[in-house]
């Protein structure tokens, strides 16, 4: 996994701006990404074909979209009885290991990786279950003391062993068992088979009605709720309050719960009331006694990392404390620091319960955590491999208003003065307008190129680039940001009129990720000298991240 370099530029005065020139012919002459087809995921290993074919015949809500109300604890919600019956058929494997369960709008994956690495550093065998994956479904199940994805051989062997049980369960439920339910059940069965010491489990959607929410209070060491934001609104009841209620469904009787936050007052009240009603000790990563800060941004071989202090001092419910100075975190940004603090609080709550976890293991775990597609800078070698030598490339799967704000903050933190182009593709169930407004509200990017990729291997949730551009035009108009529309694909000329002191964003669309990257790169290169570095940030979905990074995995 790699860290990413980011750059940014604020055009407060465009009178000195270089005249834009035609670059279409140069794009095609350079042949960037020439003859390289991008895919949203690599093909699965042949050994897994039978299993993946089995899964492909099940309802896949990642591909089709989640129905309204599906994640709420209501008559419209997913049937947890069905999931519990499936687990019973498999012998309730989740009862054979201890777990930490993580829900939240953003930060689940990073927090899961931070905590898993802390535990591995202490010597525990850890099972980590997350979603989605970028290329292979094996990425969702990390095993053992090294945290490697489950091998195709092990996953296939387990599937063949339990296939008859899955078939009977499928018939018993009249064919209603979903892709995510089956894969979650298989993952938990694998953790039991491998005798993991502890499992760190990320919820898929919401919490109360999520397929992962099958742990009893005696099986759960801690629940974690990272953040509450406006994602999957329709599936989770339509409001922040309903989202908070859904995610609070992972809180179990008398089991410690770690809150990341910070939360809005009404959301905090919902979460705290639920924890109090369950008699669950509360650990707040945003407690007044906790102090965390980013002291400095450093670089190693061109890649930024942040030097942080993390000081935890909690006295209510549980007595937790640690002082970690000068932690060198490759996961950059204030949001990643908050995720690290949340994971640290979770580790300390486990230590309070008798688990052996040293301060040094916490430090090393945080310092050795990177997550592909989240706050990731490509190395110069990787940028060269995708045909953009000399350009800094940031890949980040941000797709909500909140994550767009985090992306903007990270850009400002690391490289606030460099030219910036965004390449964006998104699923059709996201708030495109809010996402665009957030990225246009800070220092204005030089260019935004909209494109499209398939979502979870299908096209039903794909957003056409033309529709995305309409949202960005609306966002720019409402914010008073001057923009120039260069149309679709390669262009013969760009506007040359001066915009005075108004900000100006060049908006365009590309037919593919590769074409969009070419256009973005040439737009930036038309404005700077050869010796200056530029940033292209690829964002909007983990699926566009997967598409960009796929050639590097081969």
């Amino acid at each position: 996994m790699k860290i990413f370099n980011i750059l940014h530029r604020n055009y407060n005065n465009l009178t000195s701006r270089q005249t834009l020139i035609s670059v279409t012919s140069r794009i095609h002459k350079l042949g960037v990404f020439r003859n390289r087809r991008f895919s949203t995921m690599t093909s699965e290993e042949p050994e897994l074909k039978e299993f993946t074919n089995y899964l492909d015949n099940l309802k896949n809500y990642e591909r089709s979209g989640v129905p309204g109300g599906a994640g709420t604890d209501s008559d419209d919600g997913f049937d947890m009885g069905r999931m519990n019956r499936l687990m019973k058929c498999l012998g309730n494997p989740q009862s054979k290991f201890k777990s930490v369960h993580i829900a939240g709008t953003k930060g689940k994956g990073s927090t899961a990786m931070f905590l898993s690495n802390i535990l591995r550093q202490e010597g525990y065998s850890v099972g980590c279950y997350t979603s989605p994956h970028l290329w292979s479904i094996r990425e969702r199940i990390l095993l053992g003391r090294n945290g490697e994805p489950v091998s195709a051989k092990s996953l296939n062997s387990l599937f063949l062993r339990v296939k008859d049980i899955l078939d009977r369960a499928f018939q018993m439920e009249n064919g209603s068992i979903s892709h995510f339910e089956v894969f979650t059940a298989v993952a938990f069965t694998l953790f039991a088979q491998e005798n993991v010491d502890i499992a760190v489990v990320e919820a898929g959607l919401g919490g109360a009605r999520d397929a992962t929410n099958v742990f009893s209070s005696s099986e759960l060491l801690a629940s974690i709720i990272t953040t509450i934001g406006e994602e999957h609104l329709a599936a989770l009841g339509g409001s922040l309050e309903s989202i908070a209620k859904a995610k609070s469904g992972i809180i179990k009787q008398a089991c410690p719960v770690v809150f990341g936050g910070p939360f809005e007052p009404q959301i905090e009240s919902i979460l705290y009331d639920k924890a109090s009603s369950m008699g669950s000790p509360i650990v707040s990563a945003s407690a007044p006694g906790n102090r965390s800060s980013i002291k400095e941004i450093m670089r190693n071989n061109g890649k930024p990392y942040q030097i942080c202090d993390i000081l935890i001092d909690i006295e209510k419910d549980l007595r937790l404390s640690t002082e970690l100075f000068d932690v060198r975190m490759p996961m950059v940004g204030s949001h990643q620091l908050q995720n690290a603090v949340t994971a640290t609080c979770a580790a300390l709550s486990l230590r309070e319960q008798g688990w052996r976890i040293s301060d040094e293991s916490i430090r090393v775990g945080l310092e050795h955590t990177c997550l592909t597609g989240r706050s990731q800078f490509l190395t110069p070698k990787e940028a060269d491999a995708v045909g953009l030598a000399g350009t800094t490339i940031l890949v980040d799967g941000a797709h909500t208003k909140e994550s767009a704000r985090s992306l903007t903050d990270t850009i400002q933190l690391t490289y606030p003065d460099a030219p910036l182009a965004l390449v964006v593709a998104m699923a059709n169930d996201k708030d495109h307008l809010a996402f665009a407004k957030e990225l246009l509200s800070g220092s204005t990017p030089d260019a935004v190129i909209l494109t499209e990729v398939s979502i979870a291997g299908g096209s039903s949730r794909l957003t056409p680039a033309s529709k995305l551009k309409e949202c960005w035009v609306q966002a720019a108009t409402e914010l008073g940001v001057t923009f120039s529309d260069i149309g679709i694909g390669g262009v013969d000329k760009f506007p040359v009129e001066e915009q005075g002191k108004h900000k100006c964003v060049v908006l365009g669309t590309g037919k593919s990720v590769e074409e969009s990257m070419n256009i973005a790169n040439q737009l930036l290169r038309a404005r700077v000298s050869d010796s200056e570095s530029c940033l292209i940030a690829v964002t909007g979905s983990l699926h566009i991240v997967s598409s960009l990074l796929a050639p590097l995995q081969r």
Side-chain angles (χ1 to χ4, degrees):
M1 298 183 182
K2 295 86 186 172
I3 318 166
F4 53 75
N5 286 324
I6 11 186
L7 314 161
H8 199 249
R9 181 178 185 180
N10 185 1
Y11 277 86
N12 291 322
N13 189 335
L14 298 182
T15 57
S16 62
R17 187 180 188 170
Q18 296 183 21
T19 299
L20 294 172
I21 61 174
S22 172
V23 298
T24 304
S25 60
R26 284 165 42 195
I27 290 174
H28 292 294
K29 286 178 182 178
L30 283 173
V32 182
F33 301 118
R34 183 181 296 155
N35 298 324
R36 178 181 286 137
R37 294 185 61 83
F38 279 35
S39 61
T40 55
M41 63 182 68
T42 59
S43 58
E44 294 286 356
E45 294 86 344
E47 192 170 11
L48 283 180
K49 186 175 182 180
E50 187 174 0
F51 184 33
T52 54
N53 285 345
Y54 188 94
L55 292 174
D56 285 343
N57 288 321
L58 305 176
K59 185 68 174 179
N60 186 345
Y61 293 108
E62 291 178 31
R63 182 175 297 167
S64 63
V66 183
T72 61
D73 197 9
S74 68
D75 292 340
D76 296 324
F78 287 130
D79 182 4
M80 286 304 297
R82 180 177 63 229
M83 186 63 189
N84 285 316
R85 289 189 292 273
L86 174 59
M87 299 306 293
K88 184 177 180 180
C89 289
L90 290 165
N92 285 319
Q94 78 281 5
S95 67
K96 297 179 173 60
F97 50 85
K98 298 296 184 180
S99 298
V100 175
H101 198 190
I102 306 176
T105 302
K106 303 303 297 180
K108 297 188 298 295
S110 297
T111 302
M113 292 304 295
F114 279 130
L115 181 57
S116 295
N117 283 335
I118 290 168
L119 293 166
R120 291 188 190 104
Q121 181 61 32
E122 192 61 53
Y124 293 112
S125 175
V126 181
C128 184
Y129 181 63
T130 60
S131 60
H133 61 275
L134 292 178
W135 304 288
S136 170
I137 202 165
R138 296 190 299 109
E139 298 165 33
R140 300 187 181 206
I141 304 174
L142 306 181
L143 280 171
R145 289 180 169 82
N146 295 321
E148 294 295 328
V150 59
S151 69
K153 181 179 180 180
S154 295
L155 190 54
N156 183 68
S157 176
L158 176 61
F159 167 66
L160 294 178
R161 182 165 63 82
V162 301
K163 183 177 180 298
D164 288 344
I165 298 174
L166 297 176
D167 287 341
R168 289 196 297 272
F170 189 76
Q171 293 176 354
M172 183 173 66
E173 302 294 345
N174 297 315
S176 60
I177 299 178
S178 72
H179 179 291
F180 187 69
E181 288 169 333
V182 166
F183 196 74
T184 299
V186 168
F188 292 174
T189 303
L190 187 65
F191 290 161
Q193 173 185 289
E194 296 297 318
N195 295 313
V196 300
D197 296 315
I198 186 171
V200 179
V201 176
E202 175 189 346
L205 176 76
R209 294 296 184 95
D210 188 75
T212 61
N213 195 27
V214 292
F215 303 107
S216 68
S217 57
S218 63
E219 297 157 359
L220 201 63
L221 294 169
S223 301
I224 302 174
I225 299 178
T226 55
T227 61
I228 301 294
E230 294 181 349
E231 186 179 13
H232 301 300
L233 271 173
L236 295 175
S239 69
L240 276 179
E241 290 77 9
S242 64
I243 291 173
K245 290 177 182 176
K247 295 185 186 298
S248 71
I250 70 167
I251 299 174
K252 296 296 190 295
Q253 190 72 38
C255 179
V257 56
V258 179
F259 292 135
F263 304 107
E264 295 181 10
Q266 75 275 20
I267 301 305
E268 184 173 281
S269 178
I270 291 171
L271 298 177
Y272 275 60
D273 287 349
K274 178 60 179 289
S276 296
S277 70
M278 302 293 286
S280 300
I282 296 173
V283 176
S284 174
S286 301
N290 297 343
R291 302 189 307 279
S292 60
S293 62
I294 300 172
K295 299 167 62 176
E296 190 176 4
I297 298 294
M298 303 290 287
R299 287 171 179 80
N300 180 24
N301 191 29
K303 300 184 296 183
Y305 62 91
Q306 57 192 22
I307 307 295
C308 304
D309 288 346
I310 298 175
L311 287 76
I312 306 298
D313 187 13
I314 296 173
E315 296 184 352
K316 185 179 179 181
D317 290 1
L318 296 178
R319 180 70 179 94
L320 309 177
S321 65
T322 190
E323 293 184 346
L324 302 172
F325 296 100
D326 297 328
V327 181
R328 303 160 65 95
M329 283 181 50
M331 297 282 278
V332 179
S334 57
H335 64 300
Q336 293 296 358
L337 175 57
Q338 182 64 18
N339 292 334
V341 172
T342 302
T344 299
C345 287
L348 294 175
S349 74
L350 298 184
R351 185 159 77 185
E352 178 68 13
Q353 296 177 61
W355 287 68
R356 183 191 69 256
I357 301 174
S358 68
D359 284 0
E360 183 61 18
S361 290
I362 296 174
R363 172 189 294 277
V364 175
L366 299 180
E367 291 185 336
H368 284 74
T369 296
C370 295
L371 192 56
T372 303
R374 285 85 156 178
S375 304
Q376 180 184 356
F377 291 102
L378 298 193
T379 64
K381 182 178 180 180
E382 289 168 334
D384 185 35
V386 298
L388 294 180
T391 298
T392 300
I393 301 174
L394 153 67
V395 290
D396 189 84
H399 53 267
T400 68
K401 177 176 65 177
E402 293 81 6
S403 57
R405 185 180 306 131
S406 296
L407 174 59
T408 298
D409 290 345
T410 302
I411 290 171
Q412 294 280 4
L413 178 69
T414 51
Y415 290 97
D417 299 318
L420 169 70
L422 304 175
V423 174
V424 181
M426 300 185 75
N428 62 14
D429 55 356
K430 308 304 177 186
D431 191 339
H432 306 139
L433 181 60
F435 186 81
K437 281 186 172 181
E438 200 63 54
L439 287 171
L440 289 174
S441 292
S443 298
T444 308
D446 295 272
V448 180
I449 309 300
L450 293 315
T451 188
E452 53 199 47
V453 292
S454 62
I455 306 297
S459 61
S460 62
R461 291 178 61 210
L462 176 152
T463 303
S466 58
K467 183 175 180 181
L468 272 183
K469 188 169 72 171
E470 290 175 4
C471 292
W472 282 80
V473 167
Q474 181 182 346
T477 301
E478 293 182 6
L479 292 172
V481 175
T482 305
F483 64 91
S484 298
D485 187 347
I486 63 172
I488 301 174
V491 290
D492 295 324
K493 62 183 178 180
F494 294 111
V496 296
E497 65 271 16
E498 293 291 348
Q499 300 294 338
K501 293 186 178 181
H502 294 288
K503 298 177 182 179
C504 182
V505 180
V506 176
L507 292 177
T509 57
K511 296 177 183 177
S512 64
V513 177
E514 55 204 279
E515 181 181 68
S516 300
M517 295 288 287
N518 285 327
I519 296 170
N521 192 51
Q522 291 303 306
L523 278 167
L524 295 180
R525 289 296 166 193
R527 303 181 181 193
V528 300
S529 67
D530 291 339
S531 62
E532 290 184 83
S533 185
C534 301
L535 167 72
I536 298 176
V538 182
T539 189
S541 167
L542 282 174
H543 300 284
I544 188 174
V545 169
S546 170
S547 177
L548 174 66
L549 297 181
L552 302 179
Q553 307 305 308
R554 296 170 187 153

